[in-house]
Amino acid sequence: KLQKLLYYTQGWHLAIYKEPLFSGQFKRMPKGPVPVQVRTFYNKPDPLKESLESPCFFYMPIISAVVKHYGHFNASQLSEMTHQERPWLETPHGQLIDNQLIQNTFEQHQDHEQFLSVFQKMLEPAELSKEQQDRLNALAAQYNAMSPDELAELDKELGLV
């Protein structure tokens, strides 16, 4: 499920900002697009995690919008959805999916207006007290300090895998 949510996050980021959220590409696999970098996530330091650690709050609106829009689908449903989209249909099995194809697909996506509405709401500033801001910063620091094993356990607890 996490891999498909990353695919949708990358796709919407490409459509909105015209640039990838993270480096690397997705590979067409039997269950849908798989981010190549994440395949090594649990075995060694992850370039994706490293690239998101510092400016994490900048990316939160798009990540939150993807989770809100797609998070209620299970892994099988997300996989089926990706199988209906051009990047998976037009890329040969086992090959890397072109980011331009992903961007074009999401710019013309049937959910484009609905997703942008969700995304716009995520951009609205939250009114947090100083105590809430401090707590949020502490949680972010705690998350960024987690080991790959701890992140995997957290994914399990949250039902993301």
Side-chain angles (χ1 to χ4, degrees), residues 47-145:
L48 171 63
K49 180 180 181 292
E50 291 170 10
S51 71
L52 292 178
E53 281 180 350
S54 300
C56 185
F57 287 109
F58 176 77
Y59 300 119
M60 286 310 294
I62 197 143
I63 294 168
S64 297
V66 167
V67 170
K68 184 170 181 72
H69 195 72
Y70 296 100
H72 64 281
F73 294 107
N74 66 36
S76 296
Q77 291 169 316
L78 289 168
S79 181
E80 275 301 310
M81 290 164 56
T82 64
H83 288 190
Q84 306 305 313
E85 296 169 350
R86 287 182 50 218
W88 194 84
L89 293 170
E90 296 179 12
T91 303
H93 176 72
Q95 297 298 307
L96 295 177
I97 300 171
D98 182 55
N99 273 347
Q100 188 63 53
L101 178 58
I102 295 172
Q103 179 177 330
N104 294 344
T105 299
F106 281 83
E107 287 174 345
Q108 302 164 8
H109 201 280
Q110 65 185 10
D111 289 343
H112 193 263
E113 294 304 317
Q114 184 180 6
F115 181 83
L116 286 181
S117 173
V118 172
F119 177 62
Q120 288 296 328
K121 288 179 184 167
M122 297 300 160
L123 290 174
E124 295 172 3
E127 295 183 24
L128 301 176
S129 68
K130 171 85 168 97
E131 182 180 315
Q132 289 171 318
Q133 289 174 4
D134 290 344
R135 178 70 178 134
L136 187 59
N137 288 334
L139 287 171
Q142 204 174 10
Y143 175 81
N144 288 333

Side-chain angles (χ1 to χ4, degrees), residues 10-75:
Q10 182 80 316
W12 286 115
H13 196 275
L14 283 163
I16 293 168
Y17 295 107
K18 312 298 184 225
E19 64 182 33
L21 174 63
F22 49 87
S23 62
Q25 290 181 279
F26 287 80
K27 186 179 271 194
R28 183 190 189 270
M29 301 301 284
K31 293 186 179 179
V34 173
V36 176
Q37 288 176 306
V38 175
R39 297 184 82 177
T40 61
F41 181 79
Y42 298 107
N43 298 326
K44 60 184 178 179
D46 182 48
L48 171 63
K49 180 180 181 292
E50 291 170 10
S51 71
L52 292 178
E53 281 180 350
S54 300
C56 185
F57 287 109
F58 176 77
Y59 300 119
M60 286 310 294
I62 197 143
I63 294 168
S64 297
V66 167
V67 170
K68 184 170 181 72
H69 195 72
Y70 296 100
H72 64 281
F73 294 107
N74 66 36

